[in-house]
């Protein structure tokens, strides 16, 4: 694996999930693989899980880690080619990405959607500039449209908890007071589409995701109908894709409650976190869920990805 930007960089999904589960059994099995190598983690946006789990994953492989909160600690970056930089931006991505590559063997980058210019976000303008000008492998720590490390951890969790070979997995929209990107939902659909499962997407009208992610997925606007018999209910808010970045409704009737979970096949509630309690899901649902083991698997997902990149570079 050269870069890890989406599921398209994965040649053997089952093998990658299995590798993550093996690291869970023995986190230090490859403790010398990354010896003498440095991981640089560049954050343009806040993070708890991605930052700490990826850092710990690198330590488990013997790597050194440097973390930079670019927006707070770095120079303001320019992404336009040919721009006259006489405004607020002080450093061009061409130099920034090349310079970081002088100090790091792998670069992780988190860059959320701005939710203002759909085309810029869906062309992954910022991530792709980093990939173009970096001289070492790049991993996505969540980009404008995808969150592949999260999705891998989600499938690792589903593999651990599934009771049948072909579970029913429901991705449900839930209310939220702020406009959030579509990245987690897009990415989950991409990865779950390659898993042996019955995949159902449910959201209120107006929250349709980009067609490239929903092709072949059953879509229902009736949340309770969708949740019937589900083995997993993956819940996430996202803002509108068609009315780009807008919050069209905060309808509280879409919150996940114990009564709705009773419709499932003794199903598990999943969420990538952070989660607003009693808005997205009730306390009782969260407290009886697998969100904490799911977050633990972020560590082993990151370790599996870093290990593949390190092995490829040998
Ligand atoms: N799920 C997730 O990516 O969490 P953070 O935003 O805290 O990293």
């Amino acid at each position: 694996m050269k870069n890890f930007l989406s599921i398209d960089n994965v040649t053997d999904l089952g093998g990658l999930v299995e590798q993550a589960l093996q690291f869970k059994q023995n986190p230090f099995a490859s403790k010398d693989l990354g010896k003498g190598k440095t991981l640089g983690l560049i954050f343009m946006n806040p993070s708890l899980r991605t930052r700490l789990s990826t850092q710990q994953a690198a330590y488990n492989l013997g790597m050194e880690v440097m973390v930079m909160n670019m927006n707070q600690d770095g120079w303001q970056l320019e992404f336009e080619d040919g721009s006259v930089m006489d405004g607020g931006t002080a450093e061009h991505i061409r130099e920034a990405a090349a310079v970081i590559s002088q100090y790091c063997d792998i670069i992780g980058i988190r860059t959320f959607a701005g939710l203002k210019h759909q085309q810029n976000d869906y062309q992954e303008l910022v991530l792709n500039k980093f990939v173009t000008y970096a001289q070492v492998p790049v991993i996505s720590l969540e980009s404008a449209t995808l969150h592949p490390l999260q999705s891998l951890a989600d499938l690792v969790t589903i593999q651990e908890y599934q009771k049948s070979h072909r579970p029913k997995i429901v991705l449900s929209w839930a209310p939220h007071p702020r406009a959030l990107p579509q990245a987690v939902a897009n990415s989950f659909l991409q990865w779950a589409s390659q898993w042996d499962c019955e995949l159902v997407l449910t959201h209120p009208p107006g929250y349709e995701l980009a067609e490239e992610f929903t092709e072949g997925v059953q879509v229902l606007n009736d949340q309770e109908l969708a949740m019937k018999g589900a083995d997993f209910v993956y819940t996430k808010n996202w803002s509108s894709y068609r009315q780009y970045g807008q919050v069209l409704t905060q309808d509280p009737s879409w919150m996940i409650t114990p009564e709705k979970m009773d419709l499932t096949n003794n199903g598990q509630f999943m969420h990538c976190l952070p989660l607003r309690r009693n808005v997205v899901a009730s306390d009782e649902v969260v407290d009886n869920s697998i969100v904490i083991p799911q977050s633990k698997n972020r560590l082993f997902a990151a370790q599996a990805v870093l290990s593949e990149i390190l092995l490829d570079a040998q």
Side-chain angles (χ1 to χ4, degrees):
M1 187 186 290
K2 300 283 183 220
N3 295 313
F4 183 71
L5 312 176
S6 78
I7 197 167
D8 294 340
N9 300 117
V10 178
T11 48
D12 176 7
L13 174 56
L16 193 61
V17 168
E18 189 50 40
Q19 179 62 72
L21 287 168
Q22 280 179 22
F23 278 131
K24 191 166 189 175
Q25 291 300 313
N26 186 359
F28 306 111
S30 303
K31 65 181 172 43
D32 295 326
L33 181 64
K35 209 170 171 186
K37 306 277 187 191
T38 299
L39 172 67
L41 298 177
I42 310 295
F43 286 90
M44 314 280 226
N45 314 97
S47 170
L48 188 159
R49 280 142 292 272
T50 306
R51 177 173 176 151
L52 297 183
S53 64
T54 311
Q55 210 166 336
Q56 185 61 50
Y59 291 149
N60 288 356
L61 295 167
M63 299 184 82
E64 301 291 328
V65 183
M66 296 192 291
V67 183
M68 186 162 183
N69 299 316
M70 188 62 99
N71 286 347
Q72 290 154 37
D73 304 330
W75 303 106
Q76 197 176 333
L77 293 181
E78 176 63 53
F79 291 92
E80 285 288 322
D81 284 328
S83 62
V84 177
M85 291 171 55
D86 58 357
T89 56
E91 175 149 35
H92 202 279
I93 183 63
R94 285 174 179 255
E95 286 77 54
V99 168
I100 297 166
S101 307
Q102 309 308 304
Y103 315 135
C104 302
D105 300 279
I106 302 174
I107 300 172
I109 169 84
R110 165 164 283 200
T111 171
F112 285 174
L115 294 179
K116 289 191 170 59
H117 306 290
Q118 188 183 61
Q119 201 177 357
N120 284 358
D121 287 344
Y122 273 72
Q123 285 177 351
E124 294 286 7
L125 193 80
V126 176
L127 179 70
N128 285 335
K129 292 274 183 183
F130 261 96
V131 173
T132 301
Y133 299 116
Q135 297 164 357
V136 296
V138 175
I139 62 174
S140 166
L141 305 174
E142 184 171 343
S143 66
T145 67
L146 296 172
H147 195 356
L149 279 177
Q150 179 66 55
S151 306
L152 174 56
D154 297 338
L155 288 192
V156 170
T157 310
I158 287 169
Q159 169 71 33
E160 283 185 306
Y161 283 86
Q162 71 180 34
K163 291 170 289 192
S164 69
H165 284 302
R166 198 164 185 279
K168 177 175 177 180
I169 303 175
V170 177
L171 172 60
S172 176
W173 181 92
H176 196 282
R178 294 183 57 195
L180 300 185
Q182 296 98 30
V184 169
N186 290 341
S187 194
F188 183 75
L189 290 178
Q190 258 195 345
W191 288 67
S193 292
Q194 294 200 24
W195 200 249
D196 193 4
C197 66
E198 179 189 351
L199 183 58
V200 180
L201 170 64
T202 182
H203 55 71
Y207 280 93
E208 293 76 14
L209 292 164
E211 277 176 23
E212 62 184 292
F213 301 108
T214 56
E215 211 177 301
V217 178
Q218 188 185 356
V219 184
L220 297 172
N221 293 137
D222 183 334
Q223 187 190 41
E224 294 192 3
L225 182 63
M227 285 177 63
K228 274 190 186 140
D231 297 293
F232 297 92
V233 179
Y234 196 107
T235 306
K236 183 72 182 82
N237 172 270
W238 58 88
S239 58
S240 174
Y241 172 73
R242 291 186 181 169
Q243 291 171 258
Y244 193 61
Q246 290 189 30
V247 176
L248 306 178
T249 177
Q250 294 182 38
D251 184 355
S253 73
W254 276 77
M255 182 175 85
I256 307 295
T257 60
E259 293 71 31
K260 288 182 191 171
M261 290 305 293
D262 284 345
L263 299 169
T264 69
N265 179 28
N266 204 17
Q268 301 284 5
F269 174 85
M270 297 178 72
H271 192 285
C272 62
L273 304 180
L275 176 155
R276 292 187 183 229
R277 281 172 173 254
N278 303 309
V279 175
V280 169
S282 71
D283 282 332
E284 194 179 331
V285 169
V286 180
D287 290 340
N288 290 294
S289 76
I290 57 171
V291 295
I292 301 304
Q294 184 184 355
S295 72
K296 181 169 182 173
N297 285 334
R298 290 295 308 272
L299 165 52
F300 308 110
Q303 199 169 337
V305 167
L306 288 172
S307 123
E308 279 230 358
I309 292 173
L310 288 167
L311 285 169
D312 197 75
Q314 279 183 342

